Amino acid sequence: MSKVREFMGFWTENSIHAAEQYRTAGASQDVAELTRRLIEAAKGQGISEAALQAEIGEISEYIRDRLKAANRAESERRKRT
């Protein structure tokens, strides 16, 4: 597994979460904010923005897709309970 892919897995697991329900405070759903955070965190690990894009494509689109997936999974989980 590449350093970039490993970092992305870690960052996504710790930073992309479903929106909270029932008017409680939730994880950020702001794609621009999360994109900025990801780029900053990657730079801190010696990973350039270009390296991120080479691995995952358009960063904001990647984050948007992961947020949709997290929200969809949470919605499905709530339907089962």
Side-chain angles (χ1 to χ4, degrees), residues 11-42:
W11 188 89
T12 301
E13 182 72 25
N14 289 285
S15 301
I16 303 288
H17 306 288
E20 294 290 332
Q21 304 295 318
Y22 311 115
R23 302 182 195 271
T24 59
S28 175
Q29 296 284 300
D30 185 321
V31 173
E33 177 185 347
L34 290 168
T35 299
R36 181 187 54 75
R37 288 182 190 175
L38 170 57
I39 292 167
E40 283 181 17

